[in-house]
Amino acid sequence: FVDGPMDIVTPTELVRFIIQDILDDAKMSGNNRHWQPILRQCPVCSFNFSVYAKTENMEEDFSFFKKIANVDKEKQNIGKSNSGPKWVEAKEFWSQVDKEHVDMLAGPFVYKYDLEMFGYSIQEYFDSIGLGWN
């Protein structure tokens, strides 16, 4: 798995590790829930959620959630987690991952159904960050 220096994980190494971990999970050997497909974590389709939040609409979604939950700023502070510094920009990261591994991420054994369920497209994402992969 190691492409570069031993103390630095490259984007390709990270993506390969995540793919392998998810594929191993399909064999019931477990994986890290941080990148486990949502479909395997929680049967989203089995619940009648009133709010589906997306990170790109987080501020608007938080406002809506606070409104329907009858929570105002003075009573409760709802904030984002993982808002620390980004060490690398998305375009820089993904430009270092080969298309074969990106295609695997979008495949049926990894994130295909999550992408479909939440209305995401890898192609649209790459277009939005200036990587027009086809």
Side-chain angles (χ1 to χ4, degrees):
F1 277 138
V2 179
D3 294 333
M6 293 300 288
D7 60 340
I8 300 173
V9 176
T10 67
T12 296
E13 291 168 342
L14 177 62
V15 168
R16 281 196 313 225
F17 178 82
I18 290 171
I19 290 169
Q20 189 59 54
D21 196 51
I22 291 170
L23 294 176
D24 287 347
D25 181 56
K27 300 174 197 162
M28 305 308 263
S29 62
N31 73 3
N32 188 314
R33 66 183 178 92
H34 291 93
W35 50 72
Q36 185 181 44
I38 297 296
L39 193 60
R40 291 189 196 165
Q41 290 183 35
C42 169
V44 176
C45 299
S46 298
F47 296 103
N48 185 18
F49 290 103
S50 56
V51 176
Y52 290 89
K54 291 185 169 186
T55 56
E56 62 270 20
N57 304 330
M58 194 64 72
E59 294 302 321
E60 181 181 339
D61 290 342
F62 272 139
S63 294
F64 177 72
F65 175 75
K66 288 189 290 187
K67 180 180 177 182
I68 65 170
N70 197 24
V71 176
D72 60 32
K73 266 189 169 174
E74 290 73 39
K75 292 181 184 173
Q76 187 76 307
N77 182 14
I78 299 173
K80 296 183 239 179
S81 63
N82 295 333
S83 60
K86 293 180 181 166
W87 295 102
V88 65
E89 293 295 323
K91 183 176 182 177
E92 180 183 349
F93 179 91
W94 288 109
S95 68
Q96 297 176 53
V97 178
D98 59 73
K99 187 165 180 344
E100 174 188 359
H101 287 97
V102 170
D103 290 343
M104 289 175 76
L105 286 172
F109 295 107
V110 186
Y111 294 119
K112 177 184 191 308
Y113 302 111
D114 285 2
L115 293 166
E116 290 175 356
M117 184 169 33
F118 294 106
Y120 288 111
S121 158
I122 285 185
Q123 184 60 52
E124 287 176 15
Y125 172 69
F126 282 131
D127 290 346
S128 75
I129 63 170
L131 282 176
W133 282 352
N134 293 319

